Amino acid sequence: MNIGIILAAGEGKRMKSRHAKVLHKICGKPMISYVIEEAYKSGVDKNIVVVGHKKEELIEYLRDVDVIVREQPTGEGSPYGTAFAVSQAIDEVEDDDDVIILCADTPLITSDSIKNLFEYHKSTKSYASVLTTVLEDPTGYGRIVRKSNGDLLRIVEDKDATDDEKKIKEINSGIYCFNGKALKESIEKIDNKNKQNEYYLTDAIGILNSEGLKVSAYEISNCEEILGVNSREQLAIASKIMQKRINKYHLDNGVTIVDPDNTYIEPNVVIGYDTIIYPGAIIESNSIIGQNCKIIGNTRIVNSEIGNGCDIDSTLIESSVIGSNCHIGPFAHLRPNCKIGSNVKIGNFVEIKNSTIDDNSKAAHLSYVGDADVGKNVNIGCGVVFVNYDGKNKFRSTVKDNAFIGSNSNLVAPVVVEEYGYVAAGSTITDNVDEGDLSIARARQINIPGWVEKRGFKNHK
Ligand code: UD1
Ligand code: CA
């Protein structure tokens, strides 16, 4: 079996956060999730996450994730170090398993690299293989010490390295593949006699080597993948790299992204081809955007579905579904649970909440549509308000097909406007409007001739 052990018990001090480090998000998703998903994609059958510092929040999060959780004690004087962390999960490992060790704070690792490490490990018949890369500035990382013939000898931590060893640019990524038996046996032999008094997993390499068991190093050229996130600055760097990957995926899929550096798309978003995304767009969670759409300006689409051929300009859309060929915005707000049909126009400063609007209808300017079911071919005039709240309870209203709601009207819910019902501009509608009727609900205008002069207001300053 292929086992994954994902280390996530470290303190993460440099994040200066109340939250567990590995729950900090990269493109909307906790960094540990990327590591777990890539591990499964690479062929790991079972993942064990070792938690410790700030574990409550992490355990809560992992409740819905398919992993085994192991707790590392973190009290004063508790043993510490990557080898001690791995030992917390070791009873899940059988002798003939292959074990991949990953760090939850290395979120850019890809399943391809993990898979390649597995394959390299197997083809070289190694007992342990470590994933390495060469860095211009290797400061802080464990260094890969090789024998004169180039074979891997051991790993030395930055803090324990001699001046000569510090010059080595090949570094330990913190990602390894071990034979199960070799891992179990070597981990028992690791002590904490080093500058940090920690149990270093890296010592397993030297130990196996000294026992004559083959260890090897698998070097990758893309050092981005092993970037560890220990600070907010590294979190921002990792987010930028992840965003670039996501945007490249969409570009390769036939989506035009005018300025990928200024377009934020989360990893689960689906976008159809020939859609054009202009700078400033934010597309989040499980949103699905159809083909031939234009997403313009500071538009934010959260967990929503947009049909084909829609133009959406400078608009916020949350948890809603929109049909095809709609024009939305600029400056509209669709709050959760809206279902908009096709060929619908939602214009400037229109807010819609928990409502359906069927095909070919329009609300072009300055309206609030809350808790309403609006039929087909309905015109909602400028400034119409669906008055859905009496201060205590909310009520729904219905406007049926082909109805016309004149500008600046209020529909006081619950109320029904039947098919072809017409509401005169400026009406406050509290009773139902029957099919084909015109309803006028406003005070009749009175004109008083010469009133201004009689009051002596004319020519007064
Ligand atoms: C480790 C490696 C170093 C490597 C670097 C790559 C060791 C001794 N050193 O150093 O060679 O270059 O990663 O990023 O392994 N953790 C626990 N429990 C612990 C200690 C750590 O779960 O008791 C976890 C951390 O949460 C983290 C991972 O192990 O996910 C690595 O620990 P960290 O302290 O960051 O190790 P480094 O000093 O970076
Ligand atoms: Ca680290």
Side-chain angles (χ1 to χ4, degrees), residues 187-228:
I187 217 164
E188 297 267 303
K189 297 173 188 153
I190 294 172
D191 61 32
N192 63 349
K193 292 187 190 113
N194 51 55
K195 288 253 170 68
Q196 306 188 83
N197 296 319
E198 283 183 16
Y199 294 83
Y200 292 163
L201 181 60
T202 44
D203 285 353
I205 302 296
I207 290 171
L208 292 172
N209 213 348
S210 67
E211 292 173 348
L213 299 174
K214 186 176 168 71
V215 293
S216 47
Y218 174 66
E219 187 188 323
I220 57 167
S221 54
N222 185 0
C223 54
E224 261 179 21
E225 285 196 32
I226 59 98
L227 176 76

XYZ file of all heavy atoms in Angstrom, residues 187-228:
331
model
N 13.651 5.096 12.501
C 13.082 6.158 13.332
C 13.326 5.896 14.826
O 13.497 6.808 15.627
C 11.588 6.324 12.976
C 11.222 7.794 13.046
C 10.689 5.508 13.853
C 9.936 8.078 12.346
N 13.388 4.602 15.173
C 13.683 4.197 16.559
C 15.075 4.655 17.000
O 15.325 4.822 18.184
C 13.657 2.664 16.650
C 12.314 2.053 16.335
C 11.512 1.853 17.595
O 12.013 1.155 18.494
O 10.393 2.404 17.680
N 15.948 4.779 16.011
C 17.362 5.030 16.328
C 17.724 6.521 16.332
O 18.849 6.881 16.644
C 18.260 4.302 15.315
C 18.085 2.796 15.386
C 18.819 2.079 14.289
C 18.440 0.595 14.301
N 18.568 -0.032 12.993
N 16.766 7.351 15.989
C 17.071 8.788 15.910
C 17.089 9.401 17.312
O 16.200 9.113 18.127
C 16.025 9.498 15.010
C 16.188 8.999 13.573
C 16.156 11.016 15.084
C 15.095 9.462 12.618
N 18.109 10.188 17.601
C 18.135 10.887 18.896
C 18.024 12.395 18.666
O 17.854 12.834 17.527
C 19.416 10.531 19.674
C 20.661 10.939 18.912
O 20.611 11.953 18.175
O 21.698 10.238 19.027
N 18.104 13.134 19.762
C 17.959 14.592 19.601
C 19.241 15.329 19.961
O 19.217 16.437 20.475
C 16.765 15.102 20.419
C 16.958 14.892 21.907
O 17.888 14.185 22.316
N 16.101 15.495 22.715
N 20.368 14.670 19.697
C 21.661 15.313 20.009
C 22.070 16.235 18.863
O 22.877 15.876 18.011
C 22.722 14.234 20.250
C 22.441 13.447 21.530
C 23.577 12.494 21.874
C 23.167 11.555 23.016
N 23.050 10.157 22.573
N 21.476 17.407 18.820
C 21.803 18.399 17.791
C 21.526 19.783 18.368
O 21.023 19.899 19.491
C 20.981 18.132 16.518
C 19.489 17.994 16.834
O 18.894 18.884 17.430
N 18.896 16.861 16.460
N 21.813 20.791 17.608
C 21.707 22.174 18.101
C 20.307 22.527 18.584
O 20.125 23.360 19.458
C 22.118 23.155 16.984
C 23.613 23.156 16.703
C 24.274 24.433 17.241
C 25.796 24.351 17.179
N 26.319 24.346 15.795
N 19.290 21.895 17.960
C 17.912 22.275 18.315
C 17.251 21.309 19.303
O 16.093 21.480 19.661
C 17.064 22.357 17.036
C 17.663 23.283 15.984
C 16.716 23.511 14.820
O 15.830 24.358 14.901
N 16.879 22.760 13.751
N 18.025 20.276 19.703
C 17.463 19.213 20.554
C 16.157 18.646 20.002
O 15.212 18.381 20.751
C 17.239 19.713 21.984
C 18.549 20.081 22.643
O 19.561 19.379 22.486
N 18.555 21.219 23.334
N 16.125 18.498 18.688
C 14.926 17.943 18.051
C 15.232 16.563 17.479
O 16.375 16.253 17.162
C 14.499 18.849 16.883
C 13.801 20.117 17.322
C 13.322 20.949 16.130
O 13.257 20.398 15.010
O 13.025 22.126 16.329
N 14.187 15.773 17.324
C 14.322 14.485 16.645
C 14.144 14.733 15.150
O 13.031 14.993 14.700
C 13.288 13.483 17.178
C 13.525 13.127 18.623
C 13.046 13.944 19.656
C 14.254 11.991 18.962
C 13.285 13.652 20.983
C 14.508 11.679 20.298
C 14.026 12.512 21.298
O 14.278 12.212 22.619
N 15.254 14.722 14.420
C 15.242 15.058 12.992
C 14.932 13.827 12.147
O 15.683 12.847 12.178
C 16.622 15.522 12.531
C 17.152 16.839 13.044
C 18.524 17.099 12.939
C 16.317 17.823 13.565
C 19.052 18.319 13.363
C 16.857 19.037 13.991
C 18.217 19.270 13.894
O 18.750 20.468 14.311
N 13.919 13.889 11.334
C 13.651 12.802 10.380
C 14.802 12.661 9.375
O 15.106 11.565 8.900
C 12.341 13.093 9.639
C 11.904 12.040 8.630
C 11.686 10.686 9.296
C 10.645 12.484 7.903
N 15.441 13.785 9.114
C 16.548 13.779 8.146
C 17.667 12.828 8.564
O 18.397 12.315 7.717
C 17.109 15.203 8.025
O 17.233 15.760 9.333
C 16.168 16.079 7.228
N 17.787 12.570 9.874
C 18.840 11.650 10.341
C 18.613 10.229 9.849
O 19.551 9.422 9.807
C 18.909 11.653 11.880
C 19.568 12.924 12.416
O 20.070 13.716 11.581
O 19.574 13.121 13.642
N 17.382 9.889 9.491
C 17.080 8.533 9.015
C 17.930 8.197 7.782
O 18.322 7.046 7.583
C 15.597 8.395 8.686
N 18.199 9.205 6.974
C 18.976 8.976 5.745
C 20.395 8.487 6.095
O 20.844 7.457 5.601
C 19.044 10.274 4.895
C 17.635 10.770 4.533
C 19.909 10.076 3.645
C 16.828 9.842 3.657
N 21.059 9.229 6.983
C 22.407 8.839 7.407
C 22.419 7.472 8.075
O 23.328 6.660 7.859
N 21.387 7.204 8.888
C 21.319 5.930 9.614
C 21.202 4.755 8.631
O 21.953 3.779 8.710
C 20.138 5.944 10.618
C 20.454 6.920 11.762
C 19.838 4.546 11.137
C 19.287 7.199 12.697
N 20.278 4.866 7.676
C 20.086 3.775 6.706
C 21.359 3.572 5.893
O 21.769 2.433 5.637
C 18.904 4.074 5.780
C 17.536 4.049 6.468
C 16.445 4.555 5.521
C 17.188 2.632 6.942
N 21.960 4.675 5.529
C 23.196 4.614 4.748
C 24.286 3.857 5.499
O 24.952 2.983 4.949
C 23.655 6.042 4.453
C 24.333 6.136 3.114
O 24.662 5.120 2.509
N 24.549 7.335 2.651
N 24.435 4.186 6.789
C 25.498 3.548 7.570
C 25.227 2.051 7.756
O 26.126 1.287 8.060
C 25.645 4.236 8.923
O 24.480 3.998 9.685
N 23.959 1.647 7.554
C 23.634 0.216 7.647
C 23.763 -0.471 6.295
O 23.379 -1.628 6.130
C 22.211 0.052 8.201
C 22.139 0.502 9.657
C 20.719 0.527 10.205
O 19.759 0.423 9.410
O 20.586 0.639 11.436
N 24.217 0.274 5.315
C 24.431 -0.309 3.989
C 23.160 -0.423 3.168
O 23.123 -1.144 2.162
N 22.092 0.261 3.579
C 20.836 0.227 2.809
C 20.811 1.413 1.853
O 21.162 2.534 2.234
C 19.632 0.265 3.763
C 19.559 -0.923 4.731
C 18.428 -0.720 5.741
C 19.350 -2.241 3.980
N 20.373 1.164 0.633
C 20.466 2.197 -0.398
C 19.514 3.375 -0.124
O 18.318 3.198 0.107
C 20.144 1.587 -1.764
C 20.353 2.567 -2.919
C 20.098 1.860 -4.250
C 19.994 2.834 -5.395
N 21.225 3.468 -5.785
N 20.071 4.561 -0.152
C 19.254 5.783 -0.066
C 19.575 6.623 -1.300
O 20.690 6.570 -1.804
C 19.547 6.596 1.215
C 19.092 5.855 2.457
C 21.032 6.943 1.329
N 18.596 7.365 -1.781
C 18.886 8.161 -2.973
C 18.177 9.509 -2.931
O 17.271 9.734 -2.123
C 18.519 7.385 -4.236
O 17.249 6.815 -4.104
N 18.632 10.390 -3.793
C 18.059 11.734 -3.861
C 17.477 11.933 -5.250
O 18.124 11.625 -6.253
C 19.143 12.773 -3.598
N 16.256 12.412 -5.298
C 15.611 12.668 -6.582
C 15.457 14.177 -6.710
O 14.709 14.816 -5.970
C 14.245 11.966 -6.607
C 13.430 12.294 -7.827
C 13.852 11.881 -9.086
C 12.250 13.026 -7.723
C 13.118 12.190 -10.220
C 11.504 13.340 -8.851
C 11.942 12.923 -10.098
O 11.227 13.241 -11.205
N 16.198 14.742 -7.661
C 16.245 16.209 -7.779
C 15.212 16.704 -8.781
O 15.091 16.156 -9.879
C 17.654 16.629 -8.223
C 17.846 18.129 -8.215
C 19.176 18.566 -8.833
O 20.191 17.870 -8.650
O 19.174 19.601 -9.520
N 14.451 17.717 -8.396
C 13.541 18.340 -9.361
C 14.039 19.754 -9.662
O 14.671 20.391 -8.823
C 12.064 18.392 -8.875
C 11.920 19.119 -7.537
C 11.466 17.003 -8.789
C 10.482 19.461 -7.185
N 13.720 20.217 -10.876
C 14.247 21.528 -11.273
C 13.301 22.660 -10.871
O 13.712 23.793 -10.678
C 14.496 21.556 -12.772
O 13.312 21.188 -13.437
N 12.015 22.354 -10.727
C 11.061 23.412 -10.390
C 11.041 23.650 -8.883
O 10.270 23.031 -8.145
C 9.662 23.026 -10.896
C 8.659 24.145 -10.668
O 9.010 25.198 -10.129
N 7.424 23.920 -11.061
N 11.883 24.584 -8.423
C 12.011 24.774 -6.977
C 10.762 25.424 -6.378
O 10.558 25.390 -5.177
C 13.264 25.556 -6.647
S 13.379 27.117 -7.507
N 9.910 26.028 -7.230
C 8.627 26.575 -6.763
C 7.839 25.561 -5.943
O 7.201 25.899 -4.949
C 7.756 26.893 -7.974
C 7.752 28.326 -8.387
C 6.881 28.547 -9.620
O 5.994 27.718 -9.925
O 7.110 29.555 -10.278
N 7.885 24.312 -6.405
C 7.028 23.284 -5.798
C 7.317 23.003 -4.336
O 6.479 22.496 -3.625
C 7.168 21.967 -6.576
C 6.459 21.999 -7.889
C 6.272 20.603 -8.449
O 6.111 19.648 -7.656
O 6.285 20.491 -9.681
N 8.546 23.297 -3.906
C 8.879 22.932 -2.532
C 8.917 24.161 -1.618
O 9.351 24.081 -0.485
C 10.193 22.133 -2.454
C 11.360 22.928 -3.033
C 10.066 20.826 -3.206
C 12.153 23.610 -2.013
N 8.365 25.285 -2.116
C 8.334 26.484 -1.275
C 7.558 26.204 0.017
O 6.388 25.813 -0.029
C 7.662 27.643 -2.028
C 7.482 28.914 -1.212
C 8.800 29.656 -1.084
C 6.436 29.819 -1.822
N 8.227 26.365 1.138
C 7.563 26.189 2.427
C 6.934 27.505 2.844
O 7.519 28.568 2.651
